[in-house]
Amino acid sequence: MSIWFTEKQTKHFGITAEIKRTLHTEQTDFQKLDMVETAEFGNMLILDGMVMTTQKDEFVYHEMVAHVPLFTHPNPKNVLVVGGGDGGVIREVLKHPSVEKATLVEIDGKVIEYSKKYLPEIAGKLEDPRVDVQVDDGFMHIAKSEAVYDVIMVDSTEPVGPAVNLFTKGFYEGIAKALKEDGVFVAQTDNPWFHSHLITNVFKDVKEVFPITRLYTANIPTYPSGLWTFTIGSKQYDPLEVEEDRFHEIATKYYTKELHKAAFVLPRFVSDLIK
Amino acid sequence: MSIWFTEKQTKHFGITAEIKRTLHTEQTDFQKLDMVETAEFGNMLILDGMVMTTQKDEFVYHEMVAHVPLFTHPNPKNVLVVGGGDGGVIREVLKHPSVEKATLVEIDGKVIEYSKKYLPEIAGKLEDPRVDVQVDDGFMHIAKSEAVYDVIMVDSTEPVGPAVNLFTKGFYEGIAKALKEDGVFVAQTDNPWFHSHLITNVFKDVKEVFPITRLYTANIPTYPSGLWTFTIGSKQYDPLEVEEDRFHEIATKYYTKELHKAAFVLPRFVSDLIK
């Protein structure tokens, strides 16, 4: 007998992965949490039935959400990650020597707890002395922060369940206030094949708040359509105008300084979404 | 009751799509052919259990396999497509006004027949007077051709079944012979997540035959991992050095002249495969 987990990524389409065993399953205060060992992608974190991260392909998302804004900012010292309880973005943030402090605000402490247990190579850096882990509501944390952060990354789930507030214009306004005068912000903004309206709407909202707004993509096999988008809002620095000498050497498996710029070159049907 | 088609893209991972109805199913002389209507991707052609093309996402593959080599060559007149019985590559080839003749050599006439019937917006241009459709073995066609073609595209299935010969160094040598002295060749070469060795091996073989060899990618949701690769072999023209004025306006949904170059900027783990 073989056991397969199927995620319906749309009403009519999905992915299916063979499960060697279930490591943990729990209804937390915020969502259904499943940690399973898959045969193809290693350990996999699933929230409300949606794949969040896997050992095999996690590097793409974590590198691309972290390094693009961090290399856009010339001297990021104080960084905030909203969500991201698996710790993968924090791990990448700490690769930048300018970073003095990285704050993680994750609403669901159980995500942190079971990521540490079953995804240690992703969550391991949450113990670093530069990291401040807070189990708290990211929306509220943003609302009470003012001119504090150089870079803010929103590593949220889909805009259903606990993350629904993180896809509103009010939230982006709060982020702008929480950032310093030259701050940079990035959010994951789903895929253009099944959620094109979301990309259009978020881009429009972010553009009304930030003078520089850009969209970039990365390939993530376990995410719907395999093509993921990220929206950047920036007060001063353009991610497309990072000078060559700004890129320092960094250990990555996906991100490169050439890809930093190429990732913003969009397929026509994607660029049409943000015209 | 709902009916779902599942393709195991690897032994342990796959995609699953809801089927509204089966349009045709047949064991041809070469492979199992299924044409189904899916709820998410429209009509879908499946060969030996693998998704070949769908109405919703076909434009990515067909545009990217055609326009990159055709804009690389300054004056493509005589073009050969090996495989590609659905007609999608031919449709894109004909968008280039320099093309005087486009030959399609597809081994399985049933693919052509049922694509015309159920994928008319893909296969419709096979009736164009510039197109010569031959139901024949592509490997043999190449073997008997000498200095005939400006551009050859290999639009094959995976290297199992009828396409197995199309992934050999002998085939690439034949292609070099079949091309004119400034000819350009492209082949689809699977994905870097599950078939990394294939990419490495094909690139090495093509590099031993062609002075200019390059790898580029495109996102195709219904193909394994969503990240597809294409390998170019060229005798004289470098796809990265196409001058601005070479790009004429063309109706596309994925390809743009900016993406023509950005598609060659590879994630680090992919560029590591062809070092």
Side-chain angles (χ1 to χ4, degrees):
Chain A
M1 186 185 80
S2 67
I3 295 172
W4 292 68
F5 156 69
T6 298
E7 175 186 342
K8 282 177 72 173
Q9 298 177 324
T10 74
K11 205 174 162 191
H12 307 292
F13 185 74
I15 56 169
T16 187
E18 189 178 354
I19 302 298
K20 288 169 136 177
R21 60 194 174 124
T22 297
L23 300 166
H24 185 76
T25 184
E26 173 174 356
Q27 180 69 44
T28 76
D29 289 344
F30 300 96
Q31 53 207 341
K32 177 88 186 312
L33 184 159
D34 292 283
M35 188 75 76
V36 297
E37 183 186 348
T38 72
E40 185 66 54
F41 284 95
N43 291 354
M44 175 185 273
L45 171 64
I46 303 164
L47 296 177
D48 284 341
M50 292 175 280
V51 177
M52 289 297 113
T53 199
T54 81
Q55 288 179 312
K56 184 170 175 173
D57 72 347
E58 57 90 7
F59 66 90
V60 183
Y61 179 88
H62 295 135
E63 290 181 12
M64 291 302 280
V65 81
H67 300 313
V68 175
L70 285 170
F71 277 114
T72 297
H73 194 292
N75 189 27
K77 290 180 180 173
N78 196 14
V79 174
L80 171 67
V81 178
V82 176
D86 58 48
V89 180
I90 287 287
R91 181 194 64 201
E92 297 303 316
V93 167
L94 295 179
K95 290 180 180 174
H96 290 257
S98 69
V99 172
E100 296 169 357
K101 189 178 175 194
T103 303
L104 180 88
V105 180
E106 162 65 55
I107 201 166
D108 192 342
K110 296 290 185 181
V111 172
I112 299 170
E113 180 181 347
Y114 290 99
S115 296
K116 282 183 177 174
K117 187 165 182 185
Y118 293 113
L119 305 168
E121 67 295 324
I122 303 178
K125 295 289 182 185
L126 290 174
E127 309 288 348
D128 189 281
R130 283 175 291 170
V131 179
D132 175 19
V133 176
Q134 301 184 19
V135 178
D136 205 347
D137 182 333
F139 191 88
M140 295 307 293
H141 182 92
I142 288 290
K144 68 190 180 197
S145 303
E146 198 165 334
V148 180
Y149 297 108
D150 298 303
V151 176
I152 296 175
M153 291 114 174
V154 181
D155 176 10
S156 68
T157 54
E158 300 305 278
V160 289
V164 70
N165 285 330
L166 308 186
F167 289 83
T168 61
K169 193 178 167 197
F171 182 58
Y172 307 134
E173 288 166 343
I175 283 177
K177 189 175 63 63
L179 284 168
K180 291 180 191 162
E181 64 184 7
D182 62 348
V184 180
F185 140 75
V186 69
Q188 72 83 6
T189 44
D190 218 304
N191 81 86
W193 287 95
F194 308 133
H195 283 116
S196 57
H197 290 301
L198 178 88
I199 293 170
T200 301
N201 293 340
V202 168
F203 197 86
K204 186 173 156 287
D205 286 347
V206 173
K207 202 170 181 177
E208 285 173 18
V209 177
F210 287 89
I212 298 163
T213 308
R214 304 222 179 265
L215 189 76
Y216 65 99
T217 71
N219 159 251
I220 304 171
T222 56
Y223 281 11
S225 89
L227 185 67
W228 214 247
T229 73
F230 304 86
T231 302
I232 277 198
S234 178
K235 294 186 179 182
Q236 291 187 20
Y237 309 117
D238 189 337
L240 294 180
E241 287 172 13
V242 181
E243 279 157 36
E244 271 298 302
D245 60 0
R246 185 89 67 69
F247 295 103
H248 51 83
E249 268 308 305
I250 197 165
T252 59
K253 289 191 273 185
Y254 193 93
Y255 177 92
T256 69
K257 65 181 181 180
E258 293 78 17
L259 204 64
H260 176 109
K261 292 182 181 177
F264 289 89
V265 181
L266 304 173
R268 194 186 295 275
F269 82 104
V270 181
S271 59
D272 283 349
L273 298 177
I274 56 169
K275 259 187 186 151
Chain B
M1 187 185 79
S2 67
I3 295 172
W4 292 67
F5 156 71
T6 299
E7 175 186 341
K8 281 176 73 172
Q9 297 177 325
T10 74
K11 205 174 163 191
H12 307 291
F13 185 74
I15 56 169
T16 186
E18 188 177 355
I19 303 297
K20 288 169 135 177
R21 59 194 175 125
T22 297
L23 301 166
H24 186 75
T25 184
E26 173 175 356
Q27 182 69 45
T28 76
D29 290 344
F30 301 96
Q31 52 207 342
K32 177 88 186 309
L33 185 159
D34 291 285
M35 188 75 75
V36 297
E37 183 187 347
T38 72
E40 184 66 54
F41 285 95
N43 291 355
M44 176 186 274
L45 171 64
I46 302 164
L47 296 178
D48 285 340
M50 291 175 280
V51 177
M52 289 297 114
T53 200
T54 81
Q55 288 179 311
K56 184 169 176 174
D57 73 348
E58 58 88 8
F59 65 91
V60 183
Y61 179 88
H62 295 135
E63 290 181 12
M64 290 302 280
V65 82
H67 301 312
V68 175
L70 284 169
F71 277 114
T72 297
H73 194 292
N75 189 27
K77 290 181 179 172
N78 197 13
V79 174
L80 171 67
V81 178
V82 176
D86 58 48
V89 180
I90 287 287
R91 181 193 63 200
E92 298 302 316
V93 167
L94 295 179
K95 290 180 181 173
H96 291 256
S98 69
V99 171
E100 295 168 357
K101 190 179 174 193
T103 304
L104 180 88
V105 180
E106 162 65 54
I107 201 167
D108 191 343
K110 296 289 186 182
V111 172
I112 299 170
E113 180 181 347
Y114 290 99
S115 296
K116 283 182 176 173
K117 187 164 183 185
Y118 294 113
L119 305 167
E121 67 295 325
I122 303 178
K125 295 289 180 184
L126 290 174
E127 309 289 347
D128 189 281
R130 285 174 288 170
V131 179
D132 176 18
V133 176
Q134 301 183 19
V135 178
D136 205 348
D137 182 334
F139 191 89
M140 294 307 293
H141 182 93
I142 287 290
K144 67 190 181 199
S145 302
E146 197 165 336
V148 181
Y149 297 108
D150 298 303
V151 176
I152 296 175
M153 291 114 175
V154 181
D155 177 11
S156 68
T157 55
E158 301 304 279
V160 289
V164 70
N165 284 332
L166 307 185
F167 289 84
T168 60
K169 193 178 166 197
F171 183 59
Y172 307 134
E173 287 166 343
I175 282 177
K177 189 175 63 60
L179 284 168
K180 292 180 190 160
E181 63 182 9
D182 62 348
V184 181
F185 141 75
V186 70
Q188 73 83 5
T189 44
D190 218 306
N191 81 86
W193 288 95
F194 307 134
H195 284 116
S196 57
H197 290 302
L198 178 88
I199 293 170
T200 300
N201 293 340
V202 169
F203 197 86
K204 185 173 156 287
D205 286 348
V206 174
K207 202 171 181 176
E208 286 172 19
V209 178
F210 287 88
I212 298 162
T213 307
R214 303 220 179 266
L215 189 77
Y216 64 98
T217 71
N219 159 250
I220 305 170
T222 56
Y223 282 10
S225 89
L227 185 68
W228 215 246
T229 73
F230 304 86
T231 302
I232 278 199
S234 178
K235 293 185 179 182
Q236 290 187 21
Y237 310 116
D238 188 336
L240 293 180
E241 286 171 12
V242 181
E243 278 156 35
E244 271 298 302
D245 61 359
R246 186 91 65 70
F247 295 103
H248 51 83
E249 267 310 304
I250 196 164
T252 59
K253 288 190 273 185
Y254 193 94
Y255 177 92
T256 69
K257 65 181 181 179
E258 293 79 16
L259 205 62
H260 177 108
K261 293 183 181 178
F264 290 89
V265 181
L266 304 173
R268 193 186 296 275
F269 82 104
V270 181
S271 59
D272 282 349
L273 298 177
I274 58 169
K275 259 185 188 154

